[in-house]
Amino acid sequence: MAPSISHASVLFTTTILALLLAPTPINCWRPWPHLKPNSSDLLYDSSKKYEGSSEFVHLRYHMGPVLTGNITVHIIWYGRWEKPQKKIIREFINSISAVNARPPSISGWWRTVQLYTDQTGANISHTVRLGQEKNDRFYSHGKSLTRLSIQSVIKSAVTAKSKPLPTNPRNGLYLLLTSADVYVQDFCGQVCGFHYFTFPSIVGYTLPYAWVGNSAKLCPGVCAYPFSVPKYIPGLKALKSPNNDVGVDGMISVIAHEIAELATNPLVNAWYAGQDPSYPVEIADLCEGIYGTGGGGSYTGQMLLDLDGSTYNMNGMRRKYLVQWVWNHFKNYCSGPNALDQ
């Protein structure tokens, strides 16, 4: 009998180690910063954190173009950025099309975005690659930007005398990222990021673009939640971010949100819900604040706990990230990477 006892002990020990070392599902929820403290709406209302967020309405196709060709993301780094911060964001973008990432993966999440088509039946491209980059470290348009002056920043990047960004209206996306000491119109109070297209009268071209800000100094409890929590909710504990940068880790989900919506609604005349294209409800808006199985309302769903105590829900090529799910119009639910959304 001794061998069987020994075998049972080994099996028990192995099982315990596996449970301790494996990524563990954890549960969390999102505060709604636009609501008053101590309001029951903090638990039950919807958020307006992203551009165009609204009540649940029917998503439909409005016959406009989507990005069916290989997508190239050109980044404008506005303000002062550290090399490690840039690396986190670059590796996220490069992970969107990666085929060798461990599940649940960023590329698995992107497969839901790929389901959307244009009027010819062509799907959104599998390929998303990092394009050229432009640094604007001296704040050429100041440290307080309006929505229109954001377009002026993009104009400066695509018309620069030295190494201008290429202009590719069909498959190029322009991602303007502002550092933690830059304020943008409506930042923190209404949005953490938004997307639109440039006006030829300002930029000279119609280019799909997105802006996302680093909220580390201005409002981490709003735009970097759950890696920071708002002061008006006592007792709520912040979670550890997967790449040890609260502001940038918080940006990742917003960047994913905006890229998914740029791909499906680049000129604000393709996939969206609602009657007003000026305030569309898009595929990421419908799943705002949902990061895992069971999420909805104020509950973010199951996330994963890494060995170092950090929280994530998807794997990139070399890093882990926390990324919001997107709406699967064809199955009528929010969808994440395949390994998590069964």
Side-chain angles (χ1 to χ4, degrees):
M1 298 299 293
S4 62
I5 294 173
S6 175
H7 175 74
S9 300
V10 171
L11 181 61
F12 176 77
T13 302
T14 303
T15 302
I16 293 299
L17 286 173
L19 289 172
L20 289 173
L21 296 177
T24 306
I26 64 173
N27 299 326
C28 197
W29 63 280
R30 176 182 296 280
W32 309 126
H34 68 290
L35 300 171
K36 295 180 180 179
N38 302 318
S39 169
S40 61
D41 288 343
L42 283 168
L43 295 176
Y44 301 114
D45 203 356
S46 60
S47 174
K48 302 289 183 184
K49 201 166 73 94
Y50 296 98
E51 179 79 350
S53 295
S54 182
E55 66 276 6
F56 185 89
V57 288
H58 181 61
L59 187 79
R60 63 188 182 93
Y61 180 51
H62 297 262
M63 306 305 290
V66 301
L67 300 184
T68 57
N70 292 346
I71 299 168
T72 303
V73 180
H74 303 293
I75 300 180
I76 302 168
W77 304 98
Y78 192 86
R80 301 296 177 92
W81 290 89
E82 302 294 333
K83 288 182 178 179
Q85 294 179 317
K86 290 183 175 182
K87 189 173 182 180
I88 293 169
I89 294 171
R90 288 185 186 121
E91 290 186 4
F92 169 74
I93 293 171
N94 284 328
S95 294
I96 294 175
S97 299
V99 295
N100 55 352
R102 178 183 176 185
S105 66
I106 302 296
S107 57
W109 165 85
W110 185 254
R111 281 195 285 272
T112 297
V113 181
Q114 286 180 256
L115 295 174
Y116 289 85
T117 61
D118 65 11
Q119 56 187 302
T120 71
N123 291 84
I124 287 173
S125 176
H126 164 267
T127 302
V128 180
R129 59 193 176 196
L130 186 63
Q132 296 186 30
E133 302 176 35
K134 193 71 177 173
N135 291 298
D136 194 336
R137 61 177 61 89
F138 297 114
Y139 311 89
S140 64
H141 293 263
K143 290 188 176 183
S144 182
L145 303 176
T146 66
R147 291 179 182 244
L148 284 180
S149 64
I150 278 179
Q151 297 209 16
S152 297
V153 174
I154 296 172
K155 177 184 179 180
S156 297
V158 299
T159 61
K161 293 181 179 180
S162 175
K163 298 180 180 179
L165 293 182
T167 51
N168 182 359
R170 293 190 62 187
N171 297 310
L173 301 183
Y174 298 81
L175 185 59
L176 173 59
L177 305 177
T178 50
S179 57
D181 55 348
V182 175
Y183 174 75
V184 173
Q185 181 181 352
D186 298 326
F187 191 23
C188 299
Q190 297 181 38
V191 296
C192 301
F194 59 76
H195 75 90
Y196 207 61
F197 54 85
T198 60
F199 304 143
S201 59
I202 297 177
V203 180
Y205 306 89
T206 300
L207 304 172
Y209 76 91
W211 158 76
V212 179
N214 185 336
S215 65
K217 293 183 178 179
L218 297 175
C219 57
V222 176
C223 293
Y225 181 87
F227 305 127
S228 179
V229 297
K231 295 179 180 179
Y232 56 77
I233 304 183
L236 188 62
K237 184 178 179 181
L239 303 178
K240 183 178 179 181
S241 67
N243 297 290
N244 297 311
D245 190 310
V246 168
V248 173
D249 275 315
M251 290 179 73
I252 291 296
S253 190
V254 188
I255 290 171
H257 178 121
E258 301 303 339
I259 290 178
E261 293 183 344
L262 276 169
T264 54
N265 196 28
L267 300 180
V268 201
N269 61 359
W271 288 95
Y272 67 88
Q275 300 301 314
D276 186 354
S278 301
Y279 298 95
V281 180
E282 299 166 281
I283 70 166
D285 295 321
L286 290 171
C287 302
E288 184 184 345
I290 296 177
Y291 295 93
T293 303
S298 62
Y299 174 57
T300 57
Q302 281 193 344
M303 297 180 287
L304 298 173
L305 186 65
D306 204 7
L307 301 180
D308 65 354
S310 63
T311 300
Y312 71 103
N313 66 347
M314 300 182 201
N315 293 294
M317 292 189 300
R318 301 179 185 86
R319 298 174 182 270
K320 295 177 172 64
Y321 298 99
L322 185 67
V323 176
Q324 176 202 302
W325 286 16
V326 292
W327 183 252
N328 185 329
H329 172 68
F330 311 95
K331 293 188 177 180
N332 289 316
Y333 59 65
C334 293
S335 183
N338 291 345
L340 281 182
D341 79 10
Q342 302 301 319

